[in-house]
C-alpha cells in the first residue's frame, strides 16, 4: 500500500505554531492476507509475521531536522539534525472492531534514544464504505530521545535567557486520535483524521515549552492510499 496525506501539524514538538506538510503512507503485507485497518499514527512498516489478527515486523520513521534560525522561539538554541528511527511493530486484533499496536524504534542521527508508541483503536463501520475509528495514544521515550529537543545547557541558557534544564526520559505524551475513512473500491481509500497529544514529563516542563511553546500538540490531515499486488519470480 502506498499513498500520502497532507497534514497541519506542529512545526516542531513543543511549539504552538503549525505548518502544512506531506506525510507518506507505505506498508507491505503478505499476499492472501486480509487488508487490515491502518491508523494515520502508523509509520512505514512491513508485516513479516501475519496471522490475520496478529502482525509483526520492521518499522521506520523519519524525523525532520529542527533549525533554530527558522523560529524566533528557538533563537540561541542548537540545531537538531534529522533522525531516522528504526525498529519493530506488533499489532493485535482481539476482535474485528478493536486493534492495539506498539512501535518501538531506535533513533539514529538527530537523537540516539528509544521511542515506544502505544495506540488502541475502536473501529466502527457506519454505512457504505465509511468507517469511523478512535482511541487513546501513549508514548514513552528515553533521555537520549528527549534531551536533544528539550534540554538547555549553560551556553544556550546564556544565549536565550532561559533557565538551564536537563530533560530526562519517561512518559512523553498521552492523547487521542480519530479517523473517518472511505473505501472507494478494493484498491483506493481516502481518509481524514485528527490527532491530539499532551506532552508529559520533562518534555512538558522544559522552558522551551512552558515559556515559548505549548504542551498541547494537534494534527489535522486528509489523505489517500492505493493497494496493489506485486509478484516476485
Amino acid at each position: 500500500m502506498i499513498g500520502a496525506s497532507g497534514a497541519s501539524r506542529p512545526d516542531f514538538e513543543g511549539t504552538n505554531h503549525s505548518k502544512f506538510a506531506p506525510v507518506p503512507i507505505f506498508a507491505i503485507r503478505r499476499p492472501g492476507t486480509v487488508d487490515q485497518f491502518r491508523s494515520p499514527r502508523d509509520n512505514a512498516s512491513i508485516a513479516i509475521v501475519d496471522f490475520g489478527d496478529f502482525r509483526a515486523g520492521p518499522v521506520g520513521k523519519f524525523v525532520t531536522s529542527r533549525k533554530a534560525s527558522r523560529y524566533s522561539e528557538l533563537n540561541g538554541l542548537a540545531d537538531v539534525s534529522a533522525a531516522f528511527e528504526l525498529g519493530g511493530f506488533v499489532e493485535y486484533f482481539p476482535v474485528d472492531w478493536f486493534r492495539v499496536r506498539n512501535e518501538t524504534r531506535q533513533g539514529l542521527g538527530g537523537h540516539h534514544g528509544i521511542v515506544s508508541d502505544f495506540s488502541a483503536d475502536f473501529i466502527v463501520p457506519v454505512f457504505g464504505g465509511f468507517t469511523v475509528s478512535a482511541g487513546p495514544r501513549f508514548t514513552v521515550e528515553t533521555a537520549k530521545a528527549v534531551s536533544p529537543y528539550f534540554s538547555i545547557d549553560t551556553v544556550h541558557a546564556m544565549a536565550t535567557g532561559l533557565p538551564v534544564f536537563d530533560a530526562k526520559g519517561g512518559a512523553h505524551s498521552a492523547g487521542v486520535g480519530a479517523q473517518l475513512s472511505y473505501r472507494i473500491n478494493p484498491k483506493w481509500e481516502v481518509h481524514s483524521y485528527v490527532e491530539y497529544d499532551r506532552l508529559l514529563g520533562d518534555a512538558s516542563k522544559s522552558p522551551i515549552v512552558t515559556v515559548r511553546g505549548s504542551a498541547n500538540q494537534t494534527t489535522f490531515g486528509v489523505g489517500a492510499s492505493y493497494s496493489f499486488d506485486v509478484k516476485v519470480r
Side-chain angles (χ1 to χ4, degrees):
M1 178 175 63
I2 60 173
S5 64
S8 175
R9 61 196 308 176
D11 280 357
F12 57 88
E13 201 171 34
T15 186
N16 54 12
H17 301 296
S18 295
K19 67 177 179 180
F20 186 83
V23 180
I25 296 172
F26 176 78
I28 294 178
R29 57 187 174 86
R30 289 178 3 192
T33 56
V34 177
D35 186 10
Q36 295 281 25
F37 163 82
R38 184 185 188 282
S39 164
R41 190 86 166 203
D42 300 353
N43 289 294
S45 60
I46 301 174
I48 301 298
V49 176
D50 193 336
F51 295 112
D53 58 352
F54 176 84
R55 302 199 306 164
V59 67
K61 179 181 180 180
F62 176 71
V63 182
T64 58
S65 61
R66 193 186 75 179
K67 301 293 185 181
S69 59
R70 295 178 183 173
Y71 310 100
S72 60
E73 57 266 50
L74 296 179
N75 286 344
L77 294 174
D79 293 340
V80 182
S81 300
F84 290 93
E85 295 178 355
L86 303 176
F89 83 95
V90 293
E91 67 178 30
Y92 177 57
F93 288 78
V95 290
D96 291 342
W97 48 266
F98 182 67
R99 185 195 76 161
V100 291
R101 178 179 171 107
N102 170 258
E103 294 183 11
T104 298
R105 307 179 302 272
Q106 170 70 55
L108 302 168
H111 77 83
H112 293 86
I114 296 173
V115 177
S116 190
D117 289 327
F118 298 85
S119 64
D121 288 276
F122 297 89
I123 307 154
V124 183
V126 283
F127 62 88
F130 286 96
T131 300
V132 174
S133 59
R137 284 58 170 121
F138 183 69
T139 298
V140 177
E141 297 188 6
T142 63
K144 288 184 178 180
V146 179
S147 184
Y149 304 96
F150 296 98
S151 288
I152 303 172
D153 62 21
T154 303
V155 173
H156 296 124
M158 295 177 62
T160 62
L162 297 173
V164 172
F165 186 78
D166 184 18
K168 303 297 185 182
H172 183 73
S173 67
V176 64
Q179 177 181 219
L180 173 64
S181 63
Y182 176 64
R183 183 160 292 280
I184 301 170
N185 55 46
K187 294 183 178 294
W188 282 100
E189 182 181 81
V190 293
H191 62 272
S192 61
Y193 65 93
V194 59
E195 295 275 336
Y196 167 78
D197 289 294
R198 172 80 181 185
L199 295 178
L200 304 173
D202 279 6
S204 67
K205 298 174 185 176
S206 170
I208 298 171
V209 175
T210 59
V211 178
R212 297 183 176 180
S214 173
N216 299 305
Q217 306 286 283
T218 304
T219 298
F220 302 90
V222 294
S225 60
Y226 177 73
S227 299
F228 59 95
D229 295 328
V230 175
K231 294 182 180 180
V232 179
R233 294 183 180 180

